[in-house]
Amino acid sequence: MATLVSDNLDEVERSISDTAPCHYILKIQSFSLLSKNGIEKYESGEFQAGGYKWKLVLYPNGNRSRNVKEHLSLYLVFVDVSSLFRHGLEVHADFRFFLLDQSKDNYLVVHDAKEKSRRFHRLKHQWGFDQLIPIRSFNDVSNGYLLDDTCVFGAEVFITKETSSGRAECLSVMKDAIGCKHVWKIENFSKLESEYLESQAFFSGDQNWKIQLYPKGRRHGSGTHISLYLALEDPVTLTAGSKIFVEFTLRVLDQMQSRHIAGKVSHWFSESSPESGWAKFVSLPYFHHTGAGCLVKDICMVEAEVIVHAVASIL
């Protein structure tokens, strides 16, 4: 037997049931101490339903991030979010929440008024009710929901459909992107025997970067030029399909007259394209010329200026 009470304002329907929830029960003792101890949000343990893991998220004083006042807020959360991202999975679920009337030993059941399934996917993995029940009604002893400072919530989740969508991408453009400068001092340059050198890693835009210098050139600059590049320190740490749009400047500093040799370019860095720069950055004769200021007391100074403008990642 169930009594239906429709609330058209937030499309919530409330009914009374003698049957306990079949998937999860959450009992909270000393409920009033949640607020007194500054616990504005409580996440339940995980539970299985329909072959997936879920949890409940309760806001005892309402979800302030959604401007909820004078109501309890309760939500159902899909736990294995990585599977939603990895497989483009979409799970349609019909769910309902329960609140035990401890005086009458029956449950207030809250569900969508239109019996509409909710779609859990990579962009939306939480559904629920901002206004589950007014706090005044919840605290009213005559309703039986909160007795001896103890209450019991519950949930049922039924999967109605499962689908897999195609690939998706998210592009995040940085507002007021801040550049980072890094100066690399290379000593005993004339004694270098390595094919190329790498600077210490430096940080910019949530990534570690390094400068690569080839003292005798690389590719079509081999034997004629200094080759200079900016590179991701560890490109394999990027998630598959991710890329970073960077504007950068590399300079070989003129230590005598500040007539620096500079190159500026923009590049999308990724795991498959982890570096960018110039095979012919500066000719070897000019670099080694005593009046050029590139090499003073066998010391070379290289500077990188890096600005990360955007990040694209696979959802």
Side-chain angles (χ1 to χ4, degrees):
M1 178 180 178
T3 303
L4 301 181
V5 182
S6 180
D7 185 346
N8 294 325
L9 293 178
D10 50 10
E11 297 186 329
V12 172
E13 192 171 85
R14 297 175 175 85
S15 62
I16 306 299
S17 175
D18 296 326
T19 305
C22 62
H23 290 136
Y24 196 68
I25 289 178
L26 170 63
K27 181 178 181 180
I28 303 177
Q29 297 175 318
S30 301
F31 182 86
S32 63
L33 294 182
L34 291 175
S35 298
K36 291 181 180 179
N37 291 325
I39 302 175
E40 298 182 355
K41 171 184 175 182
Y42 178 73
E43 297 186 7
S44 76
E46 299 176 3
F47 62 94
Q48 288 270 359
Y52 298 101
K53 291 182 179 180
W54 311 83
K55 66 181 176 182
L56 300 179
V57 177
L58 172 70
Y59 294 81
N61 289 309
N63 187 350
R64 294 183 180 180
S65 67
R66 294 180 60 84
N67 297 318
V68 179
K69 298 178 180 179
E70 301 177 356
H71 285 77
L72 276 74
S73 302
L74 186 61
Y75 305 93
L76 176 69
V77 177
F78 192 100
V79 172
D80 189 14
V81 177
S82 62
S83 68
L84 300 177
F85 281 78
R86 189 167 57 251
H87 304 298
L89 186 66
E90 294 186 355
V91 177
H92 297 247
D94 179 13
F95 64 90
R96 59 201 68 179
F97 295 141
F98 292 70
L99 180 57
L100 177 63
D101 179 342
Q102 301 170 66
S103 299
K104 299 178 182 178
D105 194 28
N106 58 25
Y107 290 87
L108 172 68
V109 183
V110 183
H111 54 92
D112 187 272
K114 298 180 181 179
E115 297 291 342
K116 182 180 179 181
S117 294
R118 295 299 181 182
R119 184 168 62 101
F120 294 81
H121 53 96
R122 52 194 162 200
L123 300 179
K124 179 72 173 178
H125 46 84
Q126 173 177 294
W127 284 100
F129 301 104
D130 293 332
Q131 300 181 356
L132 180 77
I133 187 173
I135 292 176
R136 180 177 295 180
S137 299
F138 177 77
N139 290 335
D140 190 337
V141 176
S142 64
N143 289 325
Y145 303 134
L146 186 64
L147 294 182
D148 297 325
D149 209 19
T150 298
C151 56
V152 178
F153 296 91
E156 289 183 346
V157 185
F158 300 97
I159 307 303
T160 59
K161 186 169 66 173
E162 298 167 283
T163 59
S164 181
S165 61
R167 289 168 60 89
E169 178 179 308
C170 177
L171 173 63
S172 299
V173 181
M174 310 304 175
K175 182 180 180 180
D176 301 324
I178 299 175
C180 169
K181 283 188 177 181
H182 178 75
V183 177
W184 179 24
K185 181 179 181 180
I186 307 172
E187 298 180 305
N188 300 316
F189 192 92
S190 63
K191 299 178 181 178
L192 296 176
E193 296 181 358
S194 300
E195 179 185 354
Y196 76 100
L197 308 173
E198 290 185 347
S199 72
Q200 289 188 338
F202 59 97
F203 190 76
S204 180
D206 291 332
Q207 293 292 330
N208 285 318
W209 305 88
K210 60 187 177 183
I211 307 168
Q212 295 178 336
L213 184 145
Y214 292 74
K216 295 181 181 180
R218 180 193 188 197
R219 297 174 179 165
H220 55 279
S222 180
T224 61
H225 288 74
I226 296 285
S227 301
L228 198 60
Y229 300 88
L230 177 71
L232 284 164
E233 184 198 21
D234 191 4
V236 297
T237 60
L238 291 178
T239 56
S242 296
K243 52 187 179 181
I244 306 167
F245 183 68
V246 177
E247 175 188 342
F248 69 93
T249 302
L250 296 181
R251 301 180 181 93
V252 171
L253 301 183
D254 178 352
Q255 302 171 59
M256 298 173 63
Q257 302 182 57
S258 298
R259 295 178 302 184
H260 310 313
I261 303 168
K264 183 177 182 179
V265 73
S266 296
H267 182 73
W268 281 99
F269 288 84
S270 64
E271 185 177 359
S272 61
S273 183
E275 65 182 38
S276 178
W278 296 266
K280 293 184 175 182
F281 189 80
V282 56
S283 70
L284 289 175
Y286 184 86
F287 178 83
H288 288 283
H289 191 280
T290 55
C294 299
L295 202 58
V296 176
K297 296 181 180 179
D298 212 19
I299 295 174
C300 174
M301 304 289 288
V302 180
E303 181 183 73
E305 184 175 356
V306 179
I307 306 175
V308 176
H309 285 289
V311 176
S313 56
I314 299 300
L315 294 178

